[in-house]
Amino acid sequence: QAEMSYETNELRQKYKIAKRYYLNQNDITQKNGGKSKVGENEDELLRKSDSRVSNNYHQLLVDQKASYVGSVAPVFDLGKEELNKLVNNTLGNRFAKTLLRLIIDSSNAGRAWLHLWKDEKASGLKYTIVSPDQVTPIYNDNLEKEVLAIRRLYNRLNEQTGKEMTIVEFWTAKEAAFFEFESDYNKMHPYDCIEVIDRTAQVNIEYANILEHGFEDIPFVSFSNNLFETSDLDKYKGLIDVYDDIYNGFVNDVKDVQQVILVLTNYGGANLNEFMGDLRKAKAIKVDNAGGGDTSGVSQLKIDIPVEARNSLLDKTEEAIYKQGQGMNPNKVELGNNSGVAMQLLYNPLELKASALESEYRESFEYFIKLILQASGKDSNNIQITQTWERATIQNWQEKADMVTKLADVTSKQNIAKNNPLVEDYKEELKLLEKQMHQDTYEGQGNDGLLGE
């Protein structure tokens, strides 16, 4: 018995919010249609300023993690040069960009999706990212929650009728079925979008709604953000909202204070226009004062701003955002005074978050690579896949160079080349060293010959 993923609607709603925060459209900007701007409350007399500016901490933390984990794309080794070449050719030049997008999607939605398909016309395999809010896994009812099928749901415009239709795709380990409906899910009908080609004559015969995709498994790969597939925003959304509230309240107070409000007591003129005229021309105003302690006159209304308390609260809130978001706070970096150990401590929270994501992605990439092998007619059952991941981090190059120098006499040339801060490809560096050694030997032998003569 199969059941639809119960958290689908909640996941879509959370992804919608997280994506909005990633685009710097925090809750505080909703009154302005998602735009950050400074406005005014026309109905308010004292509190006219209405600043609604969004602070984009969520995008900073997500991009920081994506760059830290995905800037250096992982390397896959299948043990055979033929298979490695096959995988690398399939991944292509856009793999690094795809990895960054996967990390961003999974950070916002809790999981991201990659779809593979065979391109019959191009005689190759293609892959692309599918928006998380389009995909719903269908599980069986056992404890392992095995995925029986994938449902993809999205909208498209019917060019013939001009109506917007909802397309529903069901993918199993054997085939895919395509349906469409206009407004009622229960009234969907087959969507004939699959071109059936006579392979002998290479001509189109008809269109159908069933596709035999040619894989042994479902060609959708899930990339989880963490063990519980939760969004990063869940950890610190409330703190960002607090920061926005304090920050914009501060801006509103400063702007309102710039407006001088005069309080008139027993003004002797006819109206406010006369008062302003007297003030501009005569630099004086008329006041009905009865004497004997009468407080008639003009006073100024002031608004006191607790600057120190608000600055302290903003700093503490920002620190809490980075702490709960497990990010590296750039304000903690002291230029010219960061040892390798200090830098490692700064990156430690980010490394914990990155390691959780990497452990989930490793399993997903194994499945992804096996789908590539299946599409190419290769045996994917007994393949051992080695994954090498690197982090993109700020390092103290002077310390690293000193370490390499001190250990050069007791360390292999390969490890020295790997840890040399000036070297990007250690294998190429070893080749250059070997070439230089042969050249130096040849030149030494030539000099010896001239000396012997």
Side-chain angles (χ1 to χ4, degrees), residues 34-295:
K35 296 181 180 180
S36 293
K37 64 180 182 179
V38 177
E40 290 188 352
N41 290 318
E42 297 180 357
D43 298 333
E44 295 289 337
L45 178 61
L46 299 180
R47 295 290 185 178
K48 294 186 70 67
S49 179
D50 186 25
S51 169
R52 294 179 177 272
V53 178
S54 178
N55 292 276
N56 205 11
Y57 282 105
H58 178 55
Q59 181 258 329
L60 292 173
L61 287 167
V62 170
D63 285 356
Q64 187 182 88
K65 180 176 73 171
S67 298
Y68 183 65
V69 180
S71 289
V72 182
V75 178
F76 307 110
D77 185 5
L78 283 67
K80 296 181 180 180
E81 190 63 29
E82 175 192 359
L83 298 181
N84 289 341
K85 186 176 181 180
L86 171 64
V87 171
N88 290 331
N89 289 339
T90 302
L91 295 178
N93 296 327
R94 64 189 185 94
F95 173 61
K97 183 178 180 180
T98 300
L99 176 59
L100 289 174
R101 170 71 187 280
L102 284 172
I103 297 174
I104 293 172
D105 274 2
S106 63
S107 298
N108 284 328
R111 64 182 174 220
W113 291 93
L114 202 62
H115 172 47
L116 295 86
W117 74 95
K118 291 182 178 181
D119 190 336
E120 298 292 345
K121 294 182 179 179
S123 299
L125 184 65
K126 291 188 176 182
Y127 64 91
T128 191
I129 292 175
V130 180
S131 181
D133 56 351
Q134 293 183 3
V135 181
T136 304
I138 302 174
Y139 301 109
N140 60 12
D141 59 354
N142 60 28
L143 295 177
E144 295 182 355
K145 291 187 68 176
E146 180 184 359
V147 178
L148 297 180
I150 291 292
R151 186 193 72 172
R152 183 188 174 202
L153 189 145
Y154 56 95
N155 295 327
R156 65 174 292 274
L157 182 66
N158 189 316
E159 297 180 355
Q160 296 180 349
T161 63
K163 297 180 179 179
E164 186 176 63
M165 305 296 292
T166 301
I167 308 300
V168 186
E169 302 177 4
F170 291 98
W171 293 78
T172 65
K174 180 181 179 181
E175 62 185 18
F178 300 82
F179 301 89
E180 67 176 354
F181 65 92
E182 183 175 349
S183 57
D184 189 348
Y185 184 86
N186 295 317
K187 294 182 179 180
M188 62 181 176
H189 54 271
Y191 174 45
D192 296 330
C193 60
I194 305 302
E195 188 177 12
V196 181
I197 299 176
D198 186 339
R199 297 185 181 277
T200 303
Q202 288 297 314
V203 294
N204 171 265
I205 302 177
E206 59 180 347
Y207 287 89
N209 77 313
I210 302 296
L211 169 69
E212 292 186 5
H213 50 65
F215 295 91
E216 298 175 14
D217 297 290
I218 304 174
F220 277 79
V221 187
S222 172
F223 289 83
S224 300
N225 187 41
N226 49 50
L227 180 62
F228 296 101
E229 296 187 336
T230 57
S231 168
D232 284 356
L233 185 64
D234 294 344
K235 303 175 183 178
Y236 47 77
K237 179 182 181 297
L239 290 169
I240 293 179
D241 291 339
V242 167
Y243 192 95
D244 284 345
D245 188 50
I246 300 171
Y247 179 84
N248 286 278
F250 205 168
V251 173
N252 291 336
D253 285 348
V254 171
K255 188 177 180 183
D256 287 334
V257 159
Q258 295 176 357
Q259 300 179 6
V260 178
I261 300 176
L262 301 177
V263 180
L264 310 179
T265 306
N266 293 332
Y267 170 58
N271 53 48
L272 291 179
N273 290 330
E274 182 182 343
F275 163 76
M276 295 302 296
D278 292 343
L279 191 62
R280 282 194 300 267
K281 296 177 182 178
K283 308 298 180 184
I285 56 173
K286 296 177 291 184
V287 176
D288 296 333
N289 194 313
D294 189 355
T295 59

